[in-house]
């Protein structure tokens, strides 16, 4: 049974930074972060390959967020800088067993975490 556990969310002022973590049990997967703001659909944020050598970002976070991983710890990170109020959402990580890195449809992911709340105040 694969488990994904997120941590690191919280309240931060606009312009600030947060780092989210996602600890995974089991095998190494292609990992991604998604987010869901109140009243909106869940959307893709960033994805990283198994080796960590390839990454891909949503345009809305490119240049501000960085996804990385430590395979020795089986943990994926999302460093979020220059946060904006519109980044407020529940952030969750997801794991994909197969498929191209740029296949970011939610139904391509096999496992999901419960999520962690990020709130950015103006």
């Amino acid at each position: 049974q694969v488990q994904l556990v997120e941590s690191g969310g919280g309240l931060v002022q606009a312009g600030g930074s947060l780092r989210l973590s996602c600890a995974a049990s089991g095998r190494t997967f292609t990992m991604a972060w998604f987010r869901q703001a109140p009243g909106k659909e869940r959307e893709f944020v960033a994805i990283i390959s198994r080796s960590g050598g390839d990454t891909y970002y949503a345009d809305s976070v490119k240049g501000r967020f960085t996804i990385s991983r430590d395979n020795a710890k089986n943990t994926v990170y999302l460093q979020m800088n220059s946060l904006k109020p519109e980044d407020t959402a529940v952030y969750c990580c997801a794991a994909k067993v197969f498929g191209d890195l740029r296949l970011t449809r939610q139904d391509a992911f096999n496992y999901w975490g419960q999520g962690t709340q990020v709130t950015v105040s103006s």
Side-chain angles (χ1 to χ4, degrees):
Q1 181 73 13
V2 175
Q3 288 190 324
L4 305 178
V5 180
E6 302 95 337
S7 61
L11 174 64
V12 64
Q13 288 188 331
S17 298
L18 278 176
R19 188 177 82 154
L20 306 182
S21 300
C22 173
S25 64
R27 300 161 46 194
T28 301
F29 302 97
T30 295
M31 300 290 294
W33 287 96
F34 287 78
R35 68 185 181 184
Q36 186 167 19
K40 295 187 177 181
E41 293 187 355
R42 187 162 56 186
E43 64 175 3
F44 165 77
V45 175
I47 191 169
I48 188 166
S49 62
R50 284 183 174 82
S51 68
D54 293 311
T55 58
Y56 178 63
Y57 297 90
D59 287 343
S60 58
V61 306
K62 204 173 293 183
R64 299 188 299 123
F65 291 11
T66 302
I67 189 171
S68 62
R69 67 189 303 157
D70 182 342
N71 284 343
K73 297 180 179 179
N74 222 5
T75 300
V76 174
Y77 305 98
L78 185 69
Q79 178 66 44
M80 306 185 293
N81 299 330
S82 302
L83 282 161
K84 305 174 182 180
E86 51 263 44
D87 293 318
T88 294
V90 174
Y91 285 71
C92 60
C93 61
K96 181 166 65 170
V97 178
F98 301 109
D100 187 80
L101 187 75
R102 302 218 170 190
L103 183 61
T104 58
R105 289 196 331 261
Q106 293 179 46
D107 61 2
F109 290 82
N110 306 92
Y111 306 103
W112 293 83
Q114 292 297 312
T116 184
Q117 176 70 46
V118 171
T119 303
V120 184
S121 64
S122 58

